[in-house]
Amino acid sequence: MTTGSGTAPAPPEAAPPAEASAAARPAAEPPATAGPPAARRGSYRRLSVEARRAELLTAALDLFAHRAPEDVSLDDVASAAGASRPLVYRYFPGGKQQLYEAALRSAADELEQCFEEPRSGPLSARLSRVLDRYLGFVDEHDAGFSALLQSGSVAETSHTNAIVDEVRRAAAEEILLHLAVKEPGARLRMMVRTWITAVEAASLIWLDEEKRPSLEELRDWLVDQFVAMLTATAATDPQTARVMKAALRMEPADGPVGRLARRVVPALGEASHLLS
């Protein structure tokens, strides 16, 4: 599944002249009086440039996680961070579009990390742990995840699309590393990238279906999907066949692949006429 770019992005919110000039000087914290009343009464804290930017980004990420980008304003971010609108512009002079892209980059980094897993033990167990992290992210950032991957957001640009595509490619590369293939052929690479797309699509459908079935059932089904796609590709691609044989040797009989085989073999037995 891919994100579309047919909707023209809304122009970033323009900073007033005073705010725009302040944006050029992010190193200096504004005086305490620049904050909202609650901040001036004692919650205001002087932070380093990096810490303040991270605080604003965290507030933005939380808002984008539960609301579509077009429904979040700079005032919302400022309020959530206990800051002022001029302060947000100081750190993100490009306005909401720059802030959204920075938040998206942060979320993309987190999604990429979901696919990092030690390359030892049965492949199905590794995929299960990867999916636990990935689907946990989807569950926590439901509205934001939908806005991230579905077309139509007014904050969508070629830049945001590139960030999302980078996550897909990074995820595919991690999976190929788990398959221990130094130079994957076109069919194996296509199969892995297709599975990544299927994981995305299933995640969005799961959100649309009010998070049914359970995360555990969805995870197990997606592992089964990977095994099925690997098997189908191995039937016509020698490289994938070698990869599959090596992976199956590490799978225990009581693991996900063993359980899948015991479900599938009887069903295929009923279609023995196909083998004649």
Side-chain angles (χ1 to χ4, degrees):
M1 174 172 144
T2 58
T3 54
S5 56
T7 304
E13 300 182 32
E19 294 172 359
S21 62
R25 303 188 303 277
E29 281 285 338
T33 55
R40 292 201 301 267
R41 285 196 295 269
S43 63
Y44 181 82
R45 295 170 294 130
R46 288 188 177 277
L47 300 173
S48 67
V49 172
E50 294 78 11
R52 178 65 73 185
R53 186 178 188 278
E55 185 177 69
L56 293 170
L57 198 53
T58 297
L61 270 171
D62 184 63
L63 290 170
F64 288 132
H66 301 99
R67 289 153 61 183
E70 53 266 36
D71 295 332
V72 177
S73 69
L74 286 184
D75 288 332
D76 293 331
V77 176
S79 177
S84 65
R85 183 185 176 95
L87 180 64
V88 178
Y89 267 114
R90 185 179 295 270
Y91 288 89
F92 298 96
K96 190 172 89 170
Q97 187 65 37
Q98 183 186 4
L99 179 60
Y100 174 67
E101 290 182 4
L104 180 60
R105 176 71 270 171
S106 179
D109 290 342
E110 188 174 343
L111 272 173
E112 287 182 24
Q113 291 171 9
C114 290
F115 286 87
E116 296 176 3
E117 175 71 23
R119 293 189 286 278
S120 60
L123 178 62
S124 62
R126 286 179 258 164
L127 290 177
S128 293
R129 289 191 291 269
V130 164
L131 288 169
D132 279 339
R133 291 190 292 270
Y134 184 91
L135 296 174
F137 182 94
V138 174
D139 189 27
E140 182 180 355
H141 301 81
D142 45 13
F145 184 84
S146 295
L148 170 67
L149 294 178
Q150 289 180 309
S151 61
S153 169
V154 298
E156 184 182 7
T157 67
S158 60
H159 188 201
T160 60
N161 286 343
I163 293 174
V164 174
D165 191 56
E166 180 186 325
V167 175
R168 297 180 179 123
R169 292 181 179 276
E173 290 303 319
E174 284 293 328
I175 297 300
L176 287 167
L177 287 175
H178 284 287
L179 296 176
V181 180
K182 293 183 179 179
E183 297 182 5
R187 290 193 183 186
L188 181 57
R189 184 178 292 278
M190 183 179 294
M191 180 239 115
V192 171
R193 292 184 64 183
T194 300
W195 182 73
I196 296 296
T197 302
V199 170
E200 281 186 12
S203 300
L204 289 169
I205 295 169
W206 180 72
L207 292 176
D208 191 53
E209 293 288 337
E210 299 180 347
K211 300 185 178 181
R212 295 191 300 265
S214 69
L215 277 176
E216 292 76 14
E217 291 177 277
L218 178 60
R219 175 203 62 204
D220 293 345
W221 182 68
L222 288 170
V223 171
D224 287 349
Q225 291 289 316
F226 185 90
V227 175
M229 292 175 68
L230 191 67
T231 302
T233 308
T236 56
D237 181 52
Q239 182 187 50
T240 306
R242 291 192 296 271
V243 168
M244 186 184 74
K245 289 178 182 178
L248 291 180
R249 280 196 294 268
M250 299 182 66
E251 293 291 335
D254 60 348
V257 179
R259 291 193 294 271
L260 176 63
R262 287 190 293 276
R263 293 196 304 270
V264 170
V265 169
L268 291 178
E270 296 177 5
S272 57
H273 65 283
L274 297 175
L275 302 178
S276 59

